[in-house]
Amino acid sequence: MYDLVVVGAGPYGLSIAAHAAAAGLRLRVLGRPMASWREHMPEGMLLKSEPWSSSLSAPSGRHNLAEYCAVHGLTAEHGVPLALDTYLAYGRWFGERAVPPVEEVAVTAVRPDGDDGFQVETGTGELIAARTVALAVGMVPFAHRPWPLLELPPELASHSSDHRDLRRFADRDVAVIGSGQSALETAALLAEQGARPSLVARADRLNWHSPPQPPDRGLLRALRDPRSGLGTGWPNWAWSRLPWAVRRLPAATRVRIAETGPAPAGAWWLRGRFEPAVPARLGHRVRAAVPHGDGVRLHLTHTDGGLETLDAHHVVAATGFTPDLRRLRLLHPRVRTTLRTVAGSRAPELSSGFESSWPGLFFAGLLSAPSFGPSMHLVHGAGFTAARLLRGVQRRLGDRRGATTIPRPARDGAPAAASGPTPEAAAGEPAH
């Protein structure tokens, strides 16, 4: 029986596996490395996040993006967006050095196995016994499509995560729904591939990030507007640096923060490509969408009550991702339907060590956002997740092996101490 099976090999799955392997756990890592990034993000995409906040996580900070660039004669500069292809190559490089061999198999089922673990079934028919399982399945299974588009066939409507190659839309009219980075960059790339995109958004105005401030700015400016992996400003700093504190907030507050912060906005470097090329209908909602001729007709409602229609050959919903356990079909129904959820959401309520209410079952990435906040939407959250989740796994394994004490992680240079196996101490969370 394995100590841990990691399901998923994106930034979160690889980071969890790197920490678990370094800790000596007996584990398996199942999934296609960086599959969501390789297959569900458009060619020509640039990373919105700064390079310094985009590294995968390994113990002691090894195998980060800066190290990869130095080895390969590249430069990851502050204020210069990183190309998707470069990031994919970095993810492969990280996996080859920091993680046990990733098995490129699909996981078809995760079932409870008595009182002592799980049975993980793969697409090859193999059954793997595991004491603990970490589900890091990425965002693609949770793509959100507005309800008016749900009845349209795939040739007329899709989600932005459905497309790797946008050249198929050359010389076609494409309506893009949304106002965040995904919508704005998808529309700009469509225009650059010869399509005729138009943007439809509920927002009355588009938000654009300012260019990143220099890292060596003065103390007063840094205190007034601190930078973080989620952007500048104190709210972003708190959500980025203190996910453990977000978890201590009331459930309704956590859900609201996960859904609304940070607000949708485009990268500063995208504005000059978008505005000259893409007309935008702002303050519009899609109230209906029906096949029309060789395309689709959108019926729109303006915030002032006005009605209009928009015809297109295709509509792309760049409307984000919503954590929803119901879509996690690989998880056995008995587990999926009995997990305790964060009030007001369909995401699992998690301990400080990312463990769900089903002992030994851990979640990472988007499904953990209603517990730990919006940094779980981004690669930046992988480091916090990997370290805390490992501690949660170690505590669970210690419980099953009859351990009575666990090490409490040291803080502020103090030596590690032994304590009773409380969840907060296991996760290294500051006491209050």
Side-chain angles (χ1 to χ4, degrees), residues 35-365:
S36 294
W37 294 73
R38 284 192 287 116
E39 300 169 10
H40 297 277
M41 295 189 183
E43 293 179 358
M45 191 193 95
L46 302 175
L47 267 66
K48 183 182 178 183
S49 57
E50 285 294 302
W52 62 266
S53 67
S54 302
S55 291
L56 280 66
S57 178
S60 304
R62 290 291 312 279
H63 312 302
N64 58 35
L65 182 57
E67 182 181 337
Y68 168 79
C69 290
V71 168
H72 291 84
L74 304 172
T75 302
E77 298 182 46
H78 176 75
V80 178
L82 193 71
L84 173 62
D85 288 345
T86 300
Y87 197 67
L88 290 174
Y90 162 63
R92 290 193 297 270
W93 179 86
F94 179 94
E96 291 166 357
R97 284 156 180 79
V99 180
V102 178
E103 301 170 56
E104 296 198 30
V105 295
V107 172
T108 57
V110 176
R111 308 184 189 94
D113 188 12
D115 297 326
D116 192 35
F118 302 87
Q119 193 177 74
V120 179
E121 183 174 357
T122 72
T124 64
E126 182 184 7
L127 298 178
I128 303 169
R131 292 185 173 90
T132 64
V133 172
L135 296 178
V137 297
M139 303 179 75
V140 173
F142 310 107
H144 172 69
R145 293 170 170 81
W147 67 263
L149 305 183
L150 294 180
E151 299 300 321
L152 293 175
E155 59 269 20
L156 296 181
S158 60
H159 191 268
S160 55
S161 63
D162 293 332
H163 302 293
R164 175 68 174 151
D165 186 355
L166 295 172
R167 290 175 295 183
R168 56 171 286 205
F169 295 111
D171 202 33
R172 309 288 281 177
D173 297 307
V174 183
V176 179
I177 312 298
S179 60
Q181 174 71 8
S182 178
L184 300 172
E185 190 168 17
T186 296
L189 288 170
L190 281 166
E192 291 163 2
Q193 294 292 349
R196 296 183 294 272
S198 58
L199 189 83
V200 178
R202 294 180 298 176
D204 292 325
R205 60 186 293 271
L206 297 178
N207 296 316
W208 299 95
H209 290 298
S210 301
Q213 300 181 33
D216 57 352
R217 58 206 171 110
L219 177 62
L220 183 60
R221 289 180 62 191
L223 288 174
R224 188 167 53 236
D225 198 20
R227 70 171 187 161
S228 74
L230 272 70
T232 57
W234 281 107
N236 287 335
W237 183 92
W239 297 328
S240 171
R241 299 290 294 274
L242 306 172
W244 59 265
V246 174
R247 180 182 162 271
R248 293 183 171 222
L249 296 172
T253 303
R254 284 184 275 137
V255 171
R256 177 177 55 79
I257 290 173
E259 291 177 346
T260 62
W268 63 273
W269 43 261
L270 181 62
R271 190 170 188 173
R273 293 164 53 193
F274 175 88
E275 289 185 336
V278 184
R281 287 176 167 82
L282 303 180
H284 286 78
R285 288 178 177 270
V286 179
R287 62 184 179 89
V290 295
H292 179 76
D294 62 347
V296 59
R297 171 164 290 178
L298 300 178
H299 295 269
L300 309 177
T301 302
H302 193 269
T303 51
D304 63 9
L307 305 176
E308 64 177 279
T309 60
L310 174 65
D311 292 338
H313 294 105
H314 191 88
V315 57
V316 176
T319 44
F321 305 85
T322 302
D324 189 343
L325 280 168
R326 298 175 304 176
R327 298 192 187 182
L328 208 56
R329 311 307 295 181
L330 62 82
L331 194 57
H332 191 278
R334 182 159 66 92
V335 179
R336 191 173 64 242
T337 58
T338 57
L339 285 173
R340 186 165 62 247
T341 57
V342 180
S345 78
R346 296 191 179 98
E349 181 75 73
L350 302 178
S351 75
S352 57
F354 286 80
E355 188 174 17
S356 69
S357 58
W358 194 284
L361 182 63
F362 296 78
F363 290 89

